[in-house]
Amino acid sequence: MKSLEPLLNLQHLCVNEKANDSSVESTKKTESFTTPLSLDEVEVILGYEFKNKQLLEEAFTDASLGEDFSNERLEYVGDSVLNLLFTKDQYFEYPDLSPGVLTRLRAANVDSDKLARVAVKHGFHRFLRHKKPLLEDQIRQFSEEIRRYPLHSNGLVDVPKALADLVESIIGAVFIDSNSSIDIVWKVFKDLLEPIIRRETLRIHPVTQLYEMCQKKNLKVKFVDLWKESTTFDVFVDDQFVGRGSCRLKKEIAHNRAAKDALDNIVRILDKKDT
Amino acid sequence: MKSLEPLLNLQHLCVNEKANDSSVESTKKTESFTTPLSLDEVEVILGYEFKNKQLLEEAFTDASLGEDFSNERLEYVGDSVLNLLFTKDQYFEYPDLSPGVLTRLRAANVDSDKLARVAVKHGFHRFLRHKKPLLEDQIRQFSEEIRRYPLHSNGLVDVPKALADLVESIIGAVFIDSNSSIDIVWKVFKDLLEPIIRRETLRIHPVTQLYEMCQKKNLKVKFVDLWKESTTFDVFVDDQFVGRGSCRLKKEIAHNRAAKDALDNIVRILDKKDT
């Protein structure tokens, strides 16, 4: 078994560590995280004025706060509204696409990676009332990490689920407040949800992509699980070491990062083989 | 190990066989299955007149027909519309329910068991154009079997998926035709979807129910997989034989039927133990 380490681009190895760098900007953010602001400002960001302000308050109340109400029910509603809105939009935009591709396209736009970005981009997280001691650090780290992946990380970064839930809750709140109008919800959120992932910008999950690529070229893929020992996964293609991925918190992300690293390297390896 | 066979109520053992009984009624149905009828009649059943008749035609065209269009895309849309309609309805009907219970309540109303019944009840299947040689037999069998379970079988009968897909397609067609109005779709389908499963009529899946019941009473559950040998599963509770389920076509259904049989019997077994 020949090691190909010199060829490797191990960019997915130290993401968490790097994200811990403190900067003036992130210190500023910390302050605003801890001070809940007036929800009037949210109405300005949305360009929508609530008839029932309690819905707005509910949307920004995390269950961890232990109050009588939380945004869990609105999140449930918002998830369903958002699914239909993308279903409808893409049905008309892509008259030739099969349900299989439409499902993947919709999933990329409504999953937690995509929605948590929306929260960060428009600063909704600053208004969230919660009692999750680790959340602010997670948000800061997430905000740093997604800079490398402008649209979607496809499983390469750790997403603070509470942020995605928050966006769904706001959508649910506008839906209920607007007398269940999907048209009003779309008008309010269409631009806020940009950049929307379209057919041209849809990327395959790195693990799927690696398997598909190797199957085409008749190469054998093997992941070696070293997560317990060193929070990493190694990838071998036809018994050659081609990539490594690491994540201290989540095994699945380490696995995905290993696949991405292998994909980044494998093209060069195959090129070298051919020459 | 003591056999409790004399106590058992093996009603789930021969369901498929029984359903093969031919009767005058089912022979009549076969004739209508094979002759696609005019779609005007569908508009009468729906109480809705399509502006774009092509959508109606698309909704009743199965992919197996191999035409340029099929109901797959409309089914995809209808599924999403139906999900939102139940989400909305139940959000208002049950202001105190958690998302967990709401999810189970919605799932029971939008799954293939529930929707295939809607197709059969209103005779939509008679208009479906398809080239699935086994479908008509499956529908006849399904129509027989669901008589025992007026609301939902919870995994005990084999559902012809094409029927559930058909209902979703019709919903998708009305949604698109009505300029994406969820209000019109609900007005058209609310009564057609009855009996809607409500909090009071929601039943737990038999496998879940068996495990939950036995966990409470500190009893050990064991399923014995005899599907390859005899298309059956046996269930033992604390090493006592308590139930058997069979299904020639689908292993999962045999498994579910075994759990249901065990549940039907276990009460009597426990009563006997106590006395």
Side-chain angles (χ1 to χ4, degrees):
Chain A
M1 200 181 294
K2 207 170 63 182
S3 167
L4 288 161
E5 295 237 18
L7 270 171
L8 298 184
N9 161 25
L10 296 174
Q11 65 162 319
H12 297 97
L13 202 56
C14 309
V15 172
N16 283 324
E17 286 68 15
K18 273 188 196 162
N20 280 334
D21 288 351
S22 61
S23 65
V24 178
E25 195 192 5
S26 65
T27 315
K28 264 190 194 158
K29 270 184 190 157
T30 318
E31 281 162 23
S32 61
F33 285 156
T34 52
T35 322
L37 307 164
S38 157
L39 292 176
D40 299 351
E41 218 184 295
V42 171
E43 291 183 316
V44 176
I45 300 170
L46 294 174
Y48 177 84
E49 203 183 329
F50 276 80
K51 292 187 283 286
N52 179 356
K53 306 284 183 198
Q54 209 183 312
L55 285 167
L56 183 59
E57 202 185 330
E58 204 174 305
F60 282 85
T61 306
D62 191 87
S64 61
L65 219 65
E67 295 202 356
D68 289 346
F69 57 92
S70 80
N71 63 13
E72 284 181 330
R73 278 171 50 93
L74 288 176
E75 178 212 330
Y76 174 76
V77 173
D79 173 71
S80 204
V81 173
L82 194 63
N83 257 285
L84 178 58
L85 286 173
F86 274 105
T87 302
K88 179 193 157 187
D89 187 58
Q90 292 166 351
Y91 173 84
F92 288 113
E93 188 163 351
Y94 305 110
D96 57 328
L97 283 194
S98 72
V101 187
L102 288 173
T103 303
R104 285 209 295 121
L105 205 53
R106 182 178 65 187
N109 281 296
V110 302
D111 76 356
S112 55
D113 185 305
K114 181 66 184 71
L115 297 182
R117 287 160 192 264
V118 173
V120 168
K121 186 177 171 191
H122 301 288
F124 291 134
H125 59 290
R126 295 176 296 131
F127 304 87
L128 180 65
R129 302 189 308 134
H130 67 89
K131 275 192 182 165
K132 288 185 165 156
L134 301 174
L135 185 58
E136 279 139 36
D137 266 352
Q138 281 173 1
I139 294 174
R140 195 162 38 247
Q141 200 159 307
F142 175 73
S143 310
E144 293 281 330
E145 289 185 24
I146 55 173
R147 289 185 191 172
R148 311 186 192 192
Y149 313 101
L151 269 173
H152 201 289
S153 87
N154 281 304
L156 299 177
V157 310
D158 188 20
V159 180
K161 193 179 163 291
L163 291 195
D165 293 350
L166 173 61
V167 172
E168 289 182 335
S169 309
I170 309 170
I171 290 171
V174 173
F175 178 70
I176 300 296
D177 192 69
S178 66
N179 199 18
S180 312
S181 165
I182 53 169
D183 295 332
I184 290 177
V185 176
W186 191 235
K187 212 172 154 188
V188 171
F189 286 93
K190 195 178 186 307
D191 290 344
L192 294 170
L193 293 166
E194 288 288 350
I196 287 170
I197 297 162
R198 299 176 198 280
R199 180 167 30 182
E200 309 77 53
T201 51
L202 181 66
R203 294 286 166 269
I204 305 175
H205 192 284
V207 175
T208 314
Q209 201 183 345
L210 180 65
Y211 276 112
E212 279 182 2
M213 179 196 270
C214 290
Q215 200 178 22
K216 261 186 206 162
K217 295 182 187 292
N218 210 16
L219 299 166
K220 195 185 73 197
V221 182
K222 198 175 86 182
F223 281 85
V224 178
D225 181 349
L226 301 164
W227 201 70
K228 274 192 182 157
E229 298 85 340
S230 56
T231 74
T232 62
F233 270 83
D234 282 359
V235 188
F236 295 81
V237 167
D238 269 5
D239 295 329
Q240 288 196 324
F241 175 66
V242 292
R244 177 171 293 161
S246 170
C247 178
R248 276 180 303 178
L249 292 171
K250 288 188 184 156
K251 191 174 170 175
E252 195 192 338
I253 296 176
H255 186 257
N256 297 339
R257 285 176 179 166
K260 176 69 166 65
D261 192 43
L263 281 165
D264 290 344
N265 294 316
I266 206 163
V267 179
R268 276 175 293 155
I269 294 167
L270 292 173
D271 278 355
K272 224 188 159 192
K273 254 189 175 174
D274 289 344
T275 53
Chain B
M1 200 181 293
K2 207 171 63 183
S3 168
L4 288 160
E5 295 238 19
L7 270 170
L8 299 182
N9 160 24
L10 297 173
Q11 65 162 318
H12 298 96
L13 201 58
C14 310
V15 173
N16 282 324
E17 288 67 14
K18 272 188 194 162
N20 280 333
D21 288 350
S22 60
S23 66
V24 178
E25 196 191 4
S26 66
T27 316
K28 263 189 195 158
K29 269 183 191 156
T30 319
E31 280 162 21
S32 60
F33 285 155
T34 51
T35 322
L37 307 165
S38 156
L39 293 175
D40 299 351
E41 219 184 294
V42 171
E43 291 183 314
V44 176
I45 299 171
L46 295 174
Y48 177 85
E49 203 183 327
F50 277 80
K51 292 188 282 288
N52 179 356
K53 306 283 182 199
Q54 209 183 312
L55 284 167
L56 183 59
E57 201 184 333
E58 203 175 307
F60 282 85
T61 306
D62 191 86
S64 62
L65 218 66
E67 294 202 356
D68 290 346
F69 57 92
S70 81
N71 63 13
E72 285 181 330
R73 278 170 51 93
L74 288 176
E75 177 212 331
Y76 173 77
V77 172
D79 173 71
S80 204
V81 173
L82 194 63
N83 257 286
L84 178 58
L85 287 173
F86 274 104
T87 301
K88 180 193 157 187
D89 187 58
Q90 293 166 350
Y91 173 85
F92 288 113
E93 188 162 350
Y94 305 110
D96 57 326
L97 283 195
S98 71
V101 187
L102 287 173
T103 303
R104 284 208 296 122
L105 205 53
R106 181 179 65 187
N109 281 297
V110 302
D111 77 355
S112 56
D113 186 303
K114 181 68 184 69
L115 297 182
R117 286 161 193 265
V118 174
V120 168
K121 185 177 171 192
H122 302 288
F124 291 134
H125 59 289
R126 295 177 296 132
F127 304 86
L128 180 65
R129 302 189 307 136
H130 68 90
K131 275 194 182 164
K132 287 184 164 157
L134 301 174
L135 185 58
E136 278 138 36
D137 267 350
Q138 282 173 358
I139 294 174
R140 195 163 37 249
Q141 201 159 306
F142 175 73
S143 310
E144 293 281 329
E145 289 185 25
I146 55 173
R147 290 185 191 171
R148 311 186 192 192
Y149 314 100
L151 269 173
H152 201 288
S153 87
N154 281 303
L156 299 178
V157 309
D158 188 21
V159 179
K161 193 179 163 290
L163 290 195
D165 293 350
L166 173 61
V167 172
E168 289 182 334
S169 310
I170 308 170
I171 290 171
V174 173
F175 178 71
I176 300 295
D177 192 68
S178 66
N179 199 18
S180 312
S181 165
I182 54 169
D183 296 332
I184 290 177
V185 176
W186 191 235
K187 211 172 155 188
V188 171
F189 286 93
K190 195 177 183 310
D191 290 342
L192 294 170
L193 292 166
E194 288 287 352
I196 286 169
I197 297 163
R198 298 176 199 280
R199 179 167 33 180
E200 310 77 51
T201 50
L202 181 66
R203 294 288 166 268
I204 306 175
H205 192 283
V207 175
T208 314
Q209 201 183 345
L210 180 65
Y211 277 112
E212 280 181 2
M213 178 196 270
C214 291
Q215 200 178 22
K216 263 187 204 162
K217 296 183 187 290
N218 210 16
L219 299 167
K220 196 185 71 194
V221 182
K222 198 175 86 182
F223 282 85
V224 178
D225 181 349
L226 301 164
W227 201 69
K228 274 192 184 158
E229 298 85 339
S230 57
T231 72
T232 63
F233 270 83
D234 281 0
V235 187
F236 294 82
V237 167
D238 270 4
D239 296 328
Q240 288 196 324
F241 175 67
V242 292
R244 178 170 293 160
S246 170
C247 178
R248 275 180 303 178
L249 291 170
K250 287 187 185 156
K251 190 174 171 175
E252 195 192 339
I253 296 176
H255 186 258
N256 297 340
R257 286 177 179 167
K260 177 68 168 65
D261 192 42
L263 281 165
D264 290 344
N265 295 317
I266 206 163
V267 180
R268 277 174 291 156
I269 294 167
L270 292 173
D271 278 355
K272 224 187 159 191
K273 254 188 177 173
D274 290 343
T275 53

